[in-house]
Amino acid sequence: MKHGPSRSFDDEMPVVFVAPHDEVYAKVVSNMQEVKARGGRIIAITTEGNGDLAPGAPPSCACPDCPLLSPIITVIPLQLLAYHIAVLRGCRRRSPRTWPRV
């Protein structure tokens, strides 16, 4: 993370990292450490059995380790996070046009 992105977070804005144990995992962990060093709050979505985040581990969600389905599996916690943030903000739940109004 260079210049611009590193200026856009602080202790009031959590940063969500999707960090499955894959080829770029070391870079993601490095970025997590940089955010933590600058005082940012971290939420990590990672794979099960990933002990690298243990010291001072951020709040995290562990997804099953399945490389083929990893993109689909890691989206589910992100969708739930977005839904709960919307509920806390008081946003109205929207339905597709073809669904009957409740």
Side-chain angles (χ1 to χ4, degrees), residues 8-74:
S8 62
F9 56 82
D10 57 7
D11 60 346
E12 297 295 319
M13 175 69 71
V15 180
V16 180
F17 284 94
V18 178
H21 203 72
D22 58 4
E23 299 83 27
V24 295
Y25 179 74
K27 291 182 181 183
V28 173
V29 170
S30 172
N31 287 339
M32 290 171 81
Q33 292 169 346
E34 186 176 339
V35 167
K36 190 172 184 178
R38 294 179 186 264
R41 294 185 349 194
I42 298 172
I43 299 172
I45 298 173
T46 186
T47 52
E48 286 180 342
N50 197 352
D52 294 350
L53 301 177
S60 62
C61 175
C63 298
D65 188 14
C66 181
L68 185 61
L69 297 175
S70 180
I72 296 170
I73 293 172
T74 55

Side-chain angles (χ1 to χ4, degrees), residues 1-2 27 40 49 101-102:
M1 292 202 305
K2 301 289 181 189
K27 291 182 181 183
R101 299 253 179 214
V102 178

Side-chain angles (χ1 to χ4, degrees), residues 54-99:
S60 62
C61 175
C63 298
D65 188 14
C66 181
L68 185 61
L69 297 175
S70 180
I72 296 170
I73 293 172
T74 55
V75 166
I76 296 169
L78 294 173
Q79 289 288 328
L80 288 171
L81 178 65
Y83 171 76
H84 288 290
I85 289 172
V87 168
L88 288 172
R89 289 182 59 204
C91 297
R92 188 171 153 247
R93 183 181 68 89
R94 300 180 77 189
S95 300
R97 290 183 208 173
T98 58
W99 289 5

